[in-house]
Amino acid sequence: MQQTLAQTEDVVLYAVEDGIATITMNRPAYHNAQNSQMTYALDDAFRRAAHDDAVKVIVLAGAGKHFSAGHDIGTPGRDIDVSFERQSLWYDHVNKEGGEFLYAREQEVYLGMCRRWRDLPKPTIAMVQGACVAGGLMLAWVCDLIVASDDAFFADPVVRMGIPGVEYFAHAYELNPRIAKEFLFLGERMNAQRAQQMGMLNRVVPREALHGTVQEMAAKIAAMPRLGLALTKQALNHVEELQGKRAAMDAAFAWHHFAHAHNELVSGDRLGGYDARKMAQSQRADVKDKESGS
């Protein structure tokens, strides 16, 4: 029997002012780890902003200390086995066996939704502070602009799980391929200053100036004609498609799920033995090693 989950908290906040819609991930106690409840709520919020003629530009934010620590792989609100009202034509993953379980789920909530948000015909700005890790990268990368605080950091450590990067595999488009290899092979944190140097970020500002900077940029964008913004975004996204972004992502998604299936066959665990705590510990160990010079 399929499970359903009632909305028990406002995991996503939504507000509109002066043509700017602000969508805020609101699980600060769990560093905005993305369970399905949050992902579907984000989808609802992006759809709401897209359909509102009063909205010219969209800001994506995370409440609390961190933008997003990634996919929820260990909080009490983890809901991987729960059915939601689906937004694509992919069938429900619940009660499916083997690799079909995650493949169907992630076609919907990760690859499918991220692609739809990226193609939304209004400019989007990610406002990033603190951690932007793994699944957090996906949410920032679908946005047209990324503005980060000077204490922000970025990482995709899932190669530790034997998995070739997160599902929305934009690494070689956000970074030079050689830098993307370093980013994935080492799994280390990249600070905001280097991320900007590598072309991933538009601006880096002190945390206290983050909100004001994003609002100022959003206000300038909101003064532009709606159709002009939509066509400009469509033209630039088209360039990425001509460069093979969609085809590359489809291939990486297939390899990602081969890795999940391999892990389950070898160890009985799709994530290669890593839960949220072990993954966080591995990241902290990397930071300590770097600080000690080892």
Side-chain angles (χ1 to χ4, degrees), residues 11 27 33-40 72 77-79 105:
V11 294
R27 298 186 78 206
Q34 307 151 29
N35 59 4
S36 292
Q37 188 177 4
M38 173 183 281
T39 306
Y40 278 88
D72 186 345
R78 191 175 189 227
D79 51 12
R105 177 178 187 264

Side-chain angles (χ1 to χ4, degrees), residues 74 147 153 261 282-283 288 293:
V147 181
F153 61 90
S282 71
Q283 285 273 283
K288 283 184 179 179

Side-chain angles (χ1 to χ4, degrees), residues 64-188:
K65 184 178 179 181
H66 298 291
F67 176 74
S68 176
H71 299 329
D72 186 345
I73 58 173
T75 83
R78 191 175 189 227
D79 51 12
I80 191 172
D81 294 305
V82 177
S83 294
F84 287 78
E85 185 176 348
R86 303 186 68 74
Q87 300 302 315
S88 74
L89 295 179
W90 269 91
Y91 48 76
D92 198 351
H93 68 288
V94 173
N95 292 338
K96 302 302 185 296
E97 297 181 348
E100 188 178 18
F101 176 87
L102 279 186
Y103 193 79
R105 177 178 187 264
E106 294 183 359
Q107 283 280 0
E108 161 90 343
V109 299
Y110 295 154
L111 186 59
M113 286 190 183
C114 282
R115 279 177 165 168
R116 190 162 65 251
W117 301 339
R118 179 250 188 185
D119 290 338
L120 191 157
K122 294 182 180 181
T124 53
I125 305 174
M127 183 168 67
V128 178
Q129 81 284 1
C132 182
V133 176
L137 293 168
M138 293 168 40
L139 298 184
W141 285 349
V142 301
C143 292
D144 301 304
L145 306 178
I146 306 175
V147 181
S149 62
D150 54 11
D151 62 351
F153 61 90
F154 305 82
D156 188 359
V158 302
V159 176
R160 288 188 174 93
M161 299 174 173
I163 297 170
V166 290
E167 296 84 355
Y168 183 82
F169 194 88
H171 305 66
Y173 293 87
E174 297 292 337
L175 297 164
N176 176 285
R178 195 173 304 281
I179 303 302
K181 289 176 183 178
E182 174 191 341
F183 189 63
L184 287 164
F185 290 172
L186 300 183
E188 294 177 344

Side-chain angles (χ1 to χ4, degrees), residues 7 11-14 23-26 32 34-49 59-61 67-68 109 113 116-117 120 135 139:
Q7 185 84 1
V11 294
V12 169
L13 306 178
Y14 184 88
I23 298 170
T24 305
M25 295 177 281
N26 189 40
N32 297 316
Q34 307 151 29
N35 59 4
S36 292
Q37 188 177 4
M38 173 183 281
T39 306
Y40 278 88
L42 283 171
D43 194 62
D44 288 343
F46 278 120
R47 189 184 303 275
R48 181 177 175 183
V59 173
L60 178 63
F67 176 74
S68 176
V109 299
M113 286 190 183
R116 190 162 65 251
W117 301 339
L120 191 157
L139 298 184

Side-chain angles (χ1 to χ4, degrees), residues 159-228:
V159 176
R160 288 188 174 93
M161 299 174 173
I163 297 170
V166 290
E167 296 84 355
Y168 183 82
F169 194 88
H171 305 66
Y173 293 87
E174 297 292 337
L175 297 164
N176 176 285
R178 195 173 304 281
I179 303 302
K181 289 176 183 178
E182 174 191 341
F183 189 63
L184 287 164
F185 290 172
L186 300 183
E188 294 177 344
R189 295 178 177 181
M190 180 182 288
N191 64 34
Q193 292 74 23
R194 188 168 190 231
Q196 184 181 32
Q197 185 183 35
M198 294 300 110
M200 190 197 301
L201 308 181
N202 295 92
R203 298 186 187 179
V204 176
V205 298
R207 185 179 280 227
E208 60 270 20
L210 181 60
H211 181 267
T213 300
V214 170
Q215 289 299 304
E216 181 181 356
M217 293 173 69
K220 287 182 179 179
I221 294 170
M224 298 288 186
R226 176 175 29 254
L227 182 59

